[in-house]
């Protein structure tokens, strides 16, 4: 722990990290899992399930950077770059830039693991991984939110390719058959969390467009009659200079319905790419109205596994379970391992409203 005073409300599991890259096999013998991160979370058949983001690349050779992507035929191709190539910028472990083109250093897909106690997970046989499957997913699929409505699970996730980053929608009832609905929020957009019920007869979503000149990386809200066509976009929360969420923010999992309003746990990062979690409280009947917002993070990188790793100083969540007042947040720590932290919803609300 650090010696700076903190408003951290999280009770981290002693067992953390609960899943590490070595705990599940790679998708092929040619790949190595570098990171397990940012799982979607849901209940199905009395079990707790995580839809893990599995980020892979081949074993790295000294002096080189090698990473996979899907080529035009949808086959995995590995690109190799010499680290001493003056055209190569690899200052960020997550992305490289070569001759004006951006690439990701890993290729992500989704994998299902399940648990009886919410702490010990295994990968059951018979669930096929979800891979990027079209040109808009040539650099993979990432950070999936899962919400269930009337027996259908809705998956909103990041589709990544060289033409941009957008939000895809997939639906399933049985976790075996998936209906891909395509891109619902075009580039640049990510961090899309659907509300778990209609409000005034309409679906609602939080999403995160990025505007490079005017504007920034802000949380927006939109409404839809059918989950496919989105309109009436409004900006809900912007970055705040000098605070923990000064550079970017984005929603976490589906907002939690409470008596006080819709509670949304979101991530905010500063200019040093330090990712913390905070909360927004939205009006129950008109969620475009922000009632309150965290002054301080409700959770910040403090534990060793949150401070160092593939990309250190990162707590990122897009999945949780609610059981009465208990909120179990599953999160990616340092973009490398999966962890869980528990919160009291009451306590988060108190931190917002006092
Ligand atoms: C972005 C996304 C996340 C990742 C964070 C921190 O917001 O790519 O997947 O966890 O950055 O690196």
């Amino acid at each position: 722990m650090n010696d700076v005073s903190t408003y951290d409300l999280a009770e981290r599991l002693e067992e953390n990290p609960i899943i590490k890259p070595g705990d599940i096999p790679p998708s092929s013998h040619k790949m190595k899992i570098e990171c397990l991160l940012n799982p979607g979370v849901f209940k199905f058949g009395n079990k707790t399930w995580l839809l893990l983001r599995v980020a892979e690349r081949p074993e790295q050779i000294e002096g080189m950077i090698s990473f996979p992507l899907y080529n035009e035929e949808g086959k995995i191709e590995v690109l190799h770059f010499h680290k001493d190539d003056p055209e190569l910028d690899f200052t960020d472990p997550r992305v490289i830039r070569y001759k004006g083109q951006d690439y990701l250093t890993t290729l992500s897909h989704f994998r299902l693991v399940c648990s009886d106690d919410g702490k010990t997970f295994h990968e059951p046989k018979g669930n096929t991984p979800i891979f990027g499957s079209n040109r808009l997913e040539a650099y993979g699929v990432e950070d999936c939110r899962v919400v269930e409505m009337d027996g259908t699970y809705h998956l909103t996730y990041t589709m990544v390719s060289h033409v941009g980053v957008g939000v895809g929608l997939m639906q399933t009832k049985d976790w075996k058959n998936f209906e891909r609905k395509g891109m619902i929020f075009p580039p640049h957009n990510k961090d899309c969390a659907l509300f778990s019920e209609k409000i005034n007869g309409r679906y609602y979503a939080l999403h995160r467009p990025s505007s490079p000149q005017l504007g920034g990386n802000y949380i927006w809200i939109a409404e839809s009659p059918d989950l496919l066509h989105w309109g009436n976009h409004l900006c809900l929360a912007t970055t705040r200079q000098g605070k923990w969420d000064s550079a970017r923010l984005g929603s976490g999992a589906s907002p939690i319905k409470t008596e006080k309003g819709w509670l949304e746990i979101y991530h905010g990062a500063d200019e040093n790419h330090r990712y913390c979690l905070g909360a927004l409280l939205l009006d129950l009947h008109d969620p475009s109205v922000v009632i309150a917002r965290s002054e301080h993070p409700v959770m910040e990188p403090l534990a060793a596994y949150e401070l160092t790793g593939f990309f250190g100083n990162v707590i990122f969540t897009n999945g949780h379970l609610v059981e009465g007042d208990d909120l179990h947040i599953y999160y990616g720590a340092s973009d490398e391992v999966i962890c869980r932290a528990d919160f009291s919803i009451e306590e988060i609300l108190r931190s917002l409203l006092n």
Side-chain angles (χ1 to χ4, degrees):
M1 300 281 147
N2 65 10
D3 53 6
V4 184
S5 75
T6 167
Y7 297 84
D8 194 284
L9 299 176
E11 204 173 303
R12 292 158 174 81
L13 286 194
E14 265 174 36
E15 295 87 338
N16 279 348
I18 52 172
I19 321 177
K20 298 192 282 304
D23 294 345
I24 60 170
S27 62
S28 92
H29 67 279
K30 293 182 188 144
M31 291 295 153
K32 180 181 173 222
I33 298 178
E34 292 289 348
C35 324
L36 289 182
L37 60 168
N38 312 351
V41 183
F42 58 96
K43 282 273 190 192
F44 180 65
N46 282 329
K47 289 186 191 297
T48 299
W49 292 78
L50 304 184
L51 189 61
L52 302 176
R53 171 178 162 199
V54 179
E56 298 180 315
R57 64 182 173 193
E59 192 78 56
Q60 299 296 290
I61 302 159
E62 185 68 31
M64 303 280 292
I65 293 190
S66 308
F67 59 86
L69 46 76
Y70 296 105
N71 64 19
E72 284 292 307
E73 286 94 55
K75 299 248 162 29
I76 286 194
E77 191 177 312
V78 176
L79 302 188
H80 306 277
F81 293 94
H82 283 278
K83 281 187 174 169
D84 56 12
D85 189 325
E87 300 266 21
L88 186 72
D89 176 357
F90 60 98
T91 44
D92 188 323
R94 303 166 302 175
V95 283
I96 64 162
R97 175 162 269 253
Y98 188 72
K99 295 189 173 167
Q101 174 80 53
D102 289 321
Y103 300 94
L104 298 186
T105 56
T106 57
L107 180 65
S108 292
H109 67 274
F110 299 135
R111 208 80 80 74
L112 284 162
V113 293
C114 72
S115 169
D116 290 318
D117 64 1
K119 296 178 183 180
T120 319
F121 285 86
H122 72 279
E123 190 178 16
K125 289 206 169 70
N127 286 97
T128 43
I130 302 172
F131 294 103
S133 75
N134 59 59
R135 281 170 190 212
L136 296 179
E137 298 170 351
Y139 292 3
V141 289
E142 302 183 351
D143 303 349
C144 190
R145 280 89 177 152
V146 178
V147 68
E148 190 249 337
M149 283 186 259
D150 304 323
T152 299
Y153 292 85
H154 304 271
L155 285 59
T156 48
Y157 63 99
T158 310
M159 303 167 89
V160 195
S161 75
H162 80 279
V163 295
V165 173
V167 176
L169 174 68
M170 238 185 265
Q171 292 170 333
T172 184
K173 283 184 195 296
D174 57 8
W175 291 96
K176 305 264 185 228
N177 302 290
F178 295 86
E179 204 176 322
R180 291 188 185 241
K181 299 292 191 180
M183 194 177 270
I184 54 169
F185 291 101
H188 187 104
N189 207 316
K190 49 165 55 176
D191 301 325
C192 174
L194 300 175
F195 284 68
S196 54
E197 59 185 69
K198 286 184 176 174
I199 303 163
N200 303 322
R202 299 202 155 240
Y203 294 104
Y204 277 84
L206 300 173
H207 64 108
R208 211 290 297 281
S210 294
S211 178
Q213 277 145 8
L214 284 176
N217 302 298
Y218 305 154
I219 297 179
W220 287 62
I221 192 164
E223 52 181 65
S224 168
D226 58 5
L227 295 169
L228 301 177
H229 304 88
W230 293 91
N232 197 15
H233 299 265
L234 293 168
C235 183
L236 275 197
T238 61
T239 47
R240 296 179 293 187
Q241 236 185 359
K243 286 202 195 304
W244 56 278
D245 49 5
S246 56
R248 53 185 60 241
L249 44 142
S251 62
S254 187
I256 303 158
K257 195 177 189 185
T258 76
E259 276 174 14
K260 302 268 166 37
W262 293 99
L263 177 66
E264 174 62 17
I265 305 297
Y266 73 95
H267 67 265
D270 63 14
E271 283 73 16
N272 298 318
H273 305 292
R274 181 172 186 263
Y275 280 71
C276 300
L277 303 183
L280 280 170
L281 188 64
L282 311 175
D283 187 272
L284 270 187
H285 308 290
D286 179 1
S288 69
V289 175
V290 178
I291 300 169
R293 177 172 175 186
S294 297
E295 277 301 305
H296 307 284
V298 295
M299 186 174 183
E300 55 186 323
L302 294 174
Y305 48 82
E306 296 161 355
L307 295 171
T308 49
F310 184 79
F311 193 69
N313 249 338
V314 169
I315 290 174
F316 189 101
T317 186
N318 47 260
H320 59 225
L321 283 184
V322 176
E323 283 173 344
D325 182 51
D326 295 327
L327 171 63
H328 307 301
I329 288 192
Y330 291 86
Y331 64 101
S334 296
D335 277 356
E336 186 174 326
V337 290
I338 306 288
C339 298
R340 184 181 123 182
D342 297 334
F343 294 78
S344 150
I345 293 175
E346 261 313 305
E347 205 177 352
I348 298 176
L349 289 174
R350 241 181 288 130
S351 78
L352 281 171
L353 295 169
N354 282 340

